[in-house]
Amino acid sequence: MKFSVCAVDRDLPVDRPFPLRAPTYAECARIAREIGFDGIELQVQDPSLYDGKLLKRQLDDQGIACSAVTTGLAYVYEGLNMADPDPAIRKKTVERLHRQLDLAKELDSAILVGFIRGRQGDRSAIEFEKCLSESVRAVLDYAEELNTPFIMEQVNHHDGDIYCNTERTMQFLESFHSDLLQYNGDTYHMWIDDTTITEAIERSLGKLVLFHVSDVGRNLPDDKHFDFYEAAAALKKFGYNGWTSIECKPLPDSYTCCKQGLAYLKRVFG
């Protein structure tokens, strides 16, 4: 497996589960290399603020890959939403995700979609899925033009209200019949909404390319709640060789958290 860490280049509240924090992604890459990670996952709200070619050189200079370009900050701070009832907001969201794909292409990476898919709210599941499906298709069509992967993750029922477990999420992804529409497994979400971790991992194997490691409360693993050893055994059993990333709050501080996180990944998943 390749080990990555969720990184952010701006000041965010400590409850955001991005352990590696620095003023620039060039500095994030330097720290990640120093600690021993293979890659960093970039939290990008507005891709127009980045020079993709320069950023790729900066990561390459450190021998660090980009495991994914995530999209959730645009939902949290701008309200962009793939399934919004307002067609204008959906259109703006799709356009933003196209630009995310452009950046991911330059970084030899993929985009990761979670919260930005939106919530069902008071609408029927049919109405919500229609809006989301139209947006997914529009983003996926562009992803296929670029030959750049588009990854989606399940979102547990506390943080979302549809596609909360692996089975339901996989059914939705498979309905598009595209190898570029892929899956992000996440222990935080699995612990809440999947029956067994081994079955969830096995169900997702056909699309699983990114696996987030995060304990209850989005904390570093402490082996008191979630069975990370079961998850690691299942990934190894099924021959998973994609990205495994630590995603947690930067506690007690960013550098210590990242060092402890990588040590845990190597001990349990290595």
Side-chain angles (χ1 to χ4, degrees):
M1 300 179 206
K2 300 172 292 184
F3 295 140
S4 175
V5 58
C6 294
V8 66
D9 64 346
R10 57 192 272 194
D11 188 26
L12 291 178
V14 73
D15 63 346
R16 303 292 182 198
F18 314 133
L20 179 52
R21 301 182 177 209
T24 67
Y25 280 128
E27 179 65 6
C28 285
R30 186 196 66 77
I31 296 169
R33 175 196 54 77
E34 178 181 299
I35 292 173
F37 284 100
D38 303 304
I40 58 176
E41 183 178 307
L42 311 184
Q43 318 302 313
V44 174
Q45 179 177 339
D46 184 353
S48 71
L49 301 177
Y50 298 86
D51 180 332
K53 291 183 174 59
L54 173 61
L55 184 53
K56 181 67 165 62
R57 289 198 300 272
Q58 291 171 334
L59 268 59
D60 286 347
D61 286 345
Q62 300 296 334
I64 291 293
C66 174
S67 53
V69 174
T70 71
T71 59
L73 294 181
Y75 172 77
V76 174
Y77 293 106
E78 295 179 65
L80 295 187
N81 179 341
M82 296 177 77
D84 196 279
D86 184 343
I89 294 178
R90 296 202 302 273
K91 183 175 184 292
K92 186 177 180 180
T93 305
V94 167
E95 290 171 350
R96 176 66 62 83
L97 292 173
H98 284 179
R99 303 292 75 78
Q100 297 273 18
L101 280 163
D102 288 336
L103 179 61
K105 174 72 173 180
E106 292 187 305
L107 297 175
D108 294 330
S109 189
I111 65 166
L112 173 59
V113 164
F115 288 151
I116 202 171
R117 72 191 190 192
R119 286 176 175 263
Q120 178 180 334
D122 296 332
R123 291 174 290 172
S124 69
I126 292 175
E127 183 181 358
F128 170 84
E129 188 162 322
K130 179 178 182 294
C131 291
L132 179 61
S133 295
E134 289 175 356
S135 294
V136 168
R137 173 46 64 191
V139 175
L140 183 57
D141 285 348
Y142 191 64
E144 290 174 339
E145 284 183 35
L146 297 181
N147 194 31
T148 299
F150 169 12
I151 308 170
M152 290 188 73
E153 68 174 331
Q154 72 188 88
V155 177
N156 73 78
H157 70 270
H158 298 303
D159 297 329
D161 52 13
I162 195 167
Y163 314 140
C164 300
N165 61 34
T166 298
E167 175 61 36
R168 186 67 184 90
T169 307
M170 286 295 295
Q171 288 175 1
F172 179 72
L173 299 183
E174 289 166 346
S175 70
F176 291 89
H177 305 289
S178 173
D179 291 338
L180 284 177
L181 188 56
Q182 300 172 342
Y183 182 69
N184 165 215
D186 187 311
T187 59
Y188 173 73
H189 298 303
M190 287 179 169
W191 181 80
I192 296 172
D193 277 297
D194 280 313
T195 304
T196 73
I197 302 308
T198 299
E199 288 178 1
I201 290 172
E202 184 173 14
R203 176 66 179 90
S204 69
L205 284 177
K207 290 187 173 294
L208 183 64
V209 296
L210 178 63
F211 193 80
H212 279 167
V213 174
S214 181
D215 210 336
V216 175
R218 285 295 191 196
N219 294 309
L220 272 171
D222 62 10
D223 295 329
K224 296 179 181 178
H225 307 95
F226 182 86
D227 191 344
F228 292 96
Y229 293 88
E230 178 187 356
L235 292 173
K236 293 173 186 177
K237 173 184 175 182
F238 297 124
Y240 175 73
N241 61 0
W243 286 106
T244 301
S245 297
I246 195 77
E247 181 184 27
C248 63
K249 299 171 186 175
L251 299 172
D253 61 77
S254 175
Y255 193 84
T256 301
C257 178
C258 291
K259 284 196 70 173
Q260 292 177 347
L262 181 60
Y264 190 87
L265 290 181
K266 287 184 172 180
R267 184 171 74 252
V268 178
F269 292 84

